[in-house]
Amino acid sequence: MSKFEISSKFSPSPDQARAIENIVKSIKSGNKYNTLLGVTGSGKTFTMANVIRQLNMPTLIMTHNKSLAAQLYSEFKGFFPSNHVEYFISYYDYYQPEAYIPRSDLYIEKDSSVNEELERMRLSATASLLSFNDVICVASVSANYGLGNPSEYQGMVAYLNVGERLNQRNLLTKLVDMGYKRNDAYFDRGDFRVNGDVVDIYPAYYNDEALRIEFFGDEIEAMYHFDVLDNKKLKDVGKFTLYATSQFIVGADRLKVAIKDIEKELDERLAEFNAAGKLVEAQRLKQRVEFDLEMMSSTGMCKGIENYARHLTGQKPGETPYSMFDYFELLNSGEYLVIVDESHVSLPQFRGMYAGDRSRKEVLVEYGFRLPSALDNRPLKFDEFINKKAKFLFVSATPNELELGLSKGHVYEQILRPTGLLDPLIEIKDSDNQVEILFDEAKKVIERNERVLVTVLTKKMAEELSRYYTELGVKVKYMHSDIDAIERNEIIRGLRGGDFDMLIGINLLREGLDLPEVSLIAIMDADKEGFLRSTTSLIQTMGRAARNVNGRVLMFAKKVTKSMQEAMDTTNARRKLQDEYNKAHDITPRSASRNIEESLHIEDEGETYRKAKNLEKMPATERAKIVKELRKQMLEAAAQLEFEKAAALRDEIAKIRKL
């Protein structure tokens, strides 16, 4: 019987069912690499969900950006409500890596802002992987970065049972070893507090509930979950497994060995620097490492502890670091599935990660900012990633030669859309008068209450074109990389909601945008060969018009390039196949539909925020009430994946607590 149960009012279309059957059969017969070539709007996510259900394997879904990962997480949560769907992306809201620029003698210290909610979700993912075998984890490139040893993490576990004899002091010592800290004043995630025979623990990977343990002498008399906000009892538990607060936490014995190894490496490196007459580098390294060792000895942690990961895990120089994949390999006898979504972008990104990380760290090692072992705190090399024990499924509308070569013919197409929609019609127009021609075409589309997407090559052109069309009376906005994620979300919502009719962008209009209201895509200067006008980019851009029954693409060019021809040939071949299928089965195409996303902006939260303006004059009890209310809103926002909203509320709470 399958551990994975899909909750959906839809069943796979014939084209989806065929793709599902072929992929499952291929993986079960032992084929390691497989590719799903699915056109835009063909329901690839639903196909992926059915493949997971039929294979009955724990699954890691990887993609190249956080926005797409959040979208996938939300969709899979909906498909598998009774299974453990987890989210594993970088926990930094803002991240500036440590670096040194020798030319200007400029050292840039690591600077970051950690999103506590994302950190909780990462810990929840690793805890679930060690506890359950029905896990689906949606991850970004973060899954390729080093983590602590899963066996060591598994060893730092506290198993608690009602009726068990356990000395309270021993439990508290164990909690400290696991990274929990005592906090009787303000109870937060990763804290514990003691009140006589009662110990409260707030697991680092829990959202808004904690565990209460009631002792009778040296015996656990009762355990139950309670709501952290209002202290209400939720449910009794007979046994509980508690995991550590970090994947890098190690036991006391392992830590002692690690410290000795770091000291030995430090002595060897200092001898090298002194022999070469590099006295400044030697002094710099000695000062930093000795401080870190002091911190590790006294607290078990230090800033940048990940740079000592090789010593903490006990691995040899150059050995493959532990990562998310090793947690999966502990499950299901090592059988698991890796799905790489938008593989044409994701795989090249995974390939480039190691080299970029290495070049930065080599400079830090050379100039005495880090020990040579810091080079082993790295992402997986591409060969290490692609040769993991897992079965791989690459998913893309435009797979590259890389994944097609790996799949060796195990490529399964999904060309037909459940809506019956065809790939868009393509027209080529002379680029001499492209601005005026587009204006005339856009007017017709806007009159039908449909939207227009325009892709250009530069930010300046996006802004200038937007200004020009505004003067002509078109409601238009532009979008490029200078616009932050929240504002970007607002612009997309505005386009879909009809606040304006035309959106001009550069590369942001390619993967992952699902806009059923858009019926016209205009590609300016389509004959300017390059990344933005490659075959893959053109097919992906055209695909944005395949959500609307009136979908059409205008390419402005002086000549037809090789990329344009290939993109048109592919699109027209698919359109012909889709049309023939519709006629044979009497299907009438209909536009796709999709709910408009929630706003990420912090709206006026009414009374709570109005009160917050007079905080200094307010009694402490009132301030505590406001904190409680804001915290509740923050947790709700985080549960809805509105992380920017949650982060803003978190900052508001921090301000109030300082008063």
Side-chain angles (χ1 to χ4, degrees):
M1 187 182 154
S2 178
K3 298 184 289 274
F4 296 96
E5 289 303 322
I6 290 179
S7 169
S8 174
K9 60 183 180 184
F10 301 107
S11 56
S13 69
D15 203 38
Q16 285 175 320
R18 192 162 46 251
I20 294 160
E21 186 188 343
N22 289 333
I23 292 166
V24 170
K25 198 184 290 179
S26 174
I27 291 172
K28 282 186 173 175
S29 64
N31 294 320
K32 187 175 174 69
Y33 305 107
N34 302 269
T35 297
L36 170 62
L37 194 165
V39 299
T40 307
S42 62
K44 294 191 287 289
T45 311
F46 192 47
T47 301
M48 286 150 61
N50 279 278
V51 166
I52 294 168
R53 187 185 67 81
Q54 291 197 23
L55 286 173
N56 207 18
M57 282 183 190
T59 301
L60 174 62
I61 301 168
M62 294 181 71
T63 188
H64 63 287
N65 73 45
K66 291 182 181 180
S67 306
L68 196 52
Q71 189 178 309
L72 286 168
Y73 174 64
S74 168
E75 287 175 349
F76 277 94
K77 279 283 269 189
F79 285 142
F80 296 100
S82 54
N83 297 110
H84 294 88
V85 180
E86 303 288 349
Y87 190 54
F88 190 91
I89 68 167
S90 164
Y91 50 58
Y92 296 114
D93 281 336
Y94 159 72
Y95 180 65
Q96 177 184 277
E98 181 181 37
Y100 178 65
I101 304 165
R103 272 184 309 183
S104 50
D105 189 28
L106 176 65
Y107 172 66
I108 302 164
E109 195 173 353
K110 178 179 167 182
D111 187 15
S112 62
S113 158
V114 171
N115 185 317
E116 287 177 14
E117 182 58 21
L118 290 179
E119 190 173 22
R120 181 194 71 77
M121 292 175 95
R122 283 168 66 95
L123 284 164
S124 172
T126 48
S128 288
L129 282 167
L130 297 180
S131 309
F132 310 104
N133 59 0
D134 64 337
V135 179
I136 297 168
C137 183
V138 179
S140 64
V141 292
S142 202
N144 276 342
Y145 275 86
L147 283 179
N149 184 344
S151 305
E152 192 75 39
Y153 182 65
Q154 205 169 16
M156 294 298 290
V157 168
Y159 299 100
L160 305 166
N161 297 285
V162 172
E164 176 191 0
R165 292 196 66 76
L166 178 66
N167 181 280
Q168 193 190 92
R169 184 172 285 278
N170 291 348
L171 171 65
L172 301 184
T173 307
K174 174 82 172 171
L175 289 173
V176 171
D177 288 343
M178 291 167 72
Y180 289 88
K181 58 186 190 292
R182 183 164 179 172
N183 191 346
D184 293 331
Y186 187 81
F187 194 46
D188 208 347
R189 216 176 273 134
D191 291 344
F192 67 91
R193 62 187 178 194
V194 185
N195 186 6
D197 286 338
V198 177
V199 178
D200 291 343
I201 306 168
Y202 199 154
Y205 45 92
Y206 269 33
N207 195 3
D208 51 3
E209 58 184 61
L211 179 74
R212 181 160 290 163
I213 307 170
E214 294 179 353
F215 283 87
F216 183 76
D218 280 351
E219 186 183 313
I220 296 178
E221 187 179 37
M223 286 195 299
Y224 57 86
H225 291 293
F226 68 94
D227 190 305
V228 175
L229 293 173
D230 55 19
N231 215 22
K232 282 182 184 167
K233 182 175 176 178
L234 296 172
K235 60 178 180 192
D236 287 301
V237 285
K239 57 183 181 180
F240 188 80
T241 306
L242 180 69
Y243 292 94
T245 61
S246 165
Q247 292 97 349
F248 284 101
I249 288 279
V250 295
D253 295 340
R254 178 71 252 160
L255 187 63
K256 282 176 189 165
V257 172
I259 287 172
K260 277 190 180 152
D261 289 347
I262 295 166
E263 285 171 344
K264 186 183 170 192
E265 187 187 9
L266 176 63
D267 290 342
E268 289 169 0
R269 189 65 173 158
L270 290 176
E272 284 176 30
F273 276 146
N274 289 324
K278 294 183 175 180
L279 303 181
V280 173
E281 287 86 346
Q283 180 58 31
R284 189 184 279 156
L285 188 66
K286 186 173 186 292
Q287 197 172 342
R288 164 167 280 196
V289 177
E290 284 181 351
F291 177 77
D292 287 348
L293 286 170
E294 186 68 35
M295 290 299 291
M296 285 159 75
S297 302
S298 52
T299 67
M301 289 295 283
C302 74
K303 195 175 175 184
I305 193 166
E306 62 277 4
N307 289 293
Y308 304 105
R310 192 184 87 200
H311 297 295
L312 292 166
T313 55
Q315 288 180 298
K316 296 181 179 68
E319 200 175 336
T320 303
Y322 292 107
S323 65
M324 190 70 174
F325 294 88
D326 296 282
Y327 286 79
F328 270 93
E329 284 173 13
L330 292 175
L331 281 172
N332 207 37
S333 315
E335 285 275 297
Y336 64 105
L337 176 68
V338 174
I339 297 177
V340 182
D341 196 29
E342 300 288 359
S343 59
H344 64 285
V345 183
S346 301
L347 290 179
Q349 191 165 328
F350 298 166
R351 176 169 264 172
M353 284 162 58
Y354 171 76
D357 184 81
R358 180 95 184 177
S359 65
R360 177 174 61 80
K361 287 200 177 118
E362 278 176 343
V363 176
L364 289 168
V365 169
E366 187 185 340
Y367 288 91
F369 290 94
R370 288 287 170 202
L371 287 169
S373 57
L375 295 171
D376 287 308
N377 167 41
R378 59 175 177 83
L380 297 178
K381 296 175 186 173
F382 187 73
D383 287 348
E384 292 169 334
F385 159 76
I386 211 72
N387 290 313
K388 287 288 180 186
K389 286 181 187 173
K391 297 288 192 288
F392 285 84
L393 174 62
F394 308 116
V395 179
S396 173
T398 50
N400 284 330
E401 291 301 317
L402 173 61
E403 50 265 50
L404 294 175
L406 285 165
S407 301
K408 292 178 181 162
H410 302 293
V411 179
Y412 307 100
E413 291 192 340
Q414 193 171 295
I415 304 295
L416 307 172
R417 298 183 176 88
T419 53
L421 279 171
L422 309 179
D423 272 40
L425 284 165
I426 302 166
E427 289 178 51
I428 297 175
K429 303 255 186 197
D430 193 308
S431 57
D432 275 351
N433 299 307
Q434 56 185 9
V435 174
E436 288 76 18
I437 295 169
L438 176 56
F439 176 68
D440 294 336
E441 294 289 342
K443 277 198 301 188
K444 297 172 197 170
V445 171
I446 294 165
E447 279 167 14
R448 297 198 302 264
N449 195 28
E450 293 166 357
R451 315 284 183 268
V452 183
L453 285 187
V454 185
T455 94
V456 295
L457 289 170
T458 63
K459 292 177 185 177
K460 190 167 185 328
M461 189 169 175
E463 292 169 11
E464 292 291 332
L465 198 58
S466 174
R467 195 174 298 123
Y468 179 71
Y469 283 147
T470 302
E471 286 169 5
L472 292 176
V474 179
K475 289 190 280 183
V476 57
K477 288 203 175 181
Y478 64 84
M479 186 162 79
H480 52 60
S481 56
D482 290 349
I483 293 168
D484 67 33
I486 299 177
E487 194 55 38
R488 228 177 284 172
N489 179 270
E490 287 301 302
I491 289 171
I492 298 277
R493 286 181 76 253
L495 180 72
R496 295 197 60 202
D499 297 346
F500 60 99
D501 302 308
M502 182 187 284
L503 177 60
I504 302 170
I506 304 167
N507 195 31
L508 300 169
L509 303 180
R510 286 202 308 124
E511 298 94 2
L513 275 188
D514 188 353
L515 307 168
E517 296 80 8
V518 171
S519 67
L520 178 63
I521 301 277
I523 303 172
M524 313 294 259
D525 303 304
D527 54 352
K528 300 283 194 294
E529 278 277 25
F531 171 68
L532 293 173
R533 297 293 180 262
S534 66
T535 305
T536 300
S537 288
L538 289 172
I539 293 174
Q540 288 282 354
T541 305
M542 289 173 187
R544 299 309 112 206
R547 301 281 203 294
N548 192 293
V549 90
N550 299 319
R552 195 159 65 98
V553 175
L554 287 181
M555 289 205 278
F556 293 97
K558 296 296 287 180
K559 62 179 190 292
V560 175
T561 62
K562 182 170 173 279
S563 297
M564 286 169 66
Q565 194 61 56
E566 286 174 357
M568 286 191 296
D569 291 347
T570 304
T571 303
N572 290 333
R574 288 173 179 174
R575 183 178 172 89
K576 186 172 176 243
L577 192 76
Q578 293 154 353
D579 194 37
E580 285 168 0
Y581 182 84
N582 285 356
K583 283 172 181 167
H585 294 83
D586 201 26
I587 295 170
T588 305
R590 65 183 193 279
S591 294
S593 62
R594 187 164 178 259
N595 293 334
I596 297 178
E597 294 82 358
E598 290 294 309
S599 172
L600 294 176
H601 268 304
I602 301 277
E603 303 299 342
D604 180 19
E605 299 290 349
E607 194 60 28
T608 308
Y609 276 108
R610 278 196 289 279
K611 282 182 181 173
K613 287 177 182 168
N614 305 311
L615 284 169
E616 289 169 11
K617 303 168 190 171
M618 197 179 284
T621 52
E622 281 296 308
R623 283 208 298 268
K625 280 182 189 171
I626 287 176
V627 167
K628 187 175 173 180
E629 179 57 33
L630 287 176
R631 184 176 166 79
K632 190 177 172 189
Q633 288 170 13
M634 177 182 78
L635 294 172
E636 281 171 6
Q640 298 296 320
L641 300 181
E642 296 171 4
F643 296 119
E644 288 85 355
K645 181 175 178 179
L649 287 162
R650 179 199 64 199
D651 296 343
E652 192 67 31
I653 293 167
K655 279 181 206 165
I656 298 172
R657 280 188 191 150
K658 282 178 186 171
L659 295 172

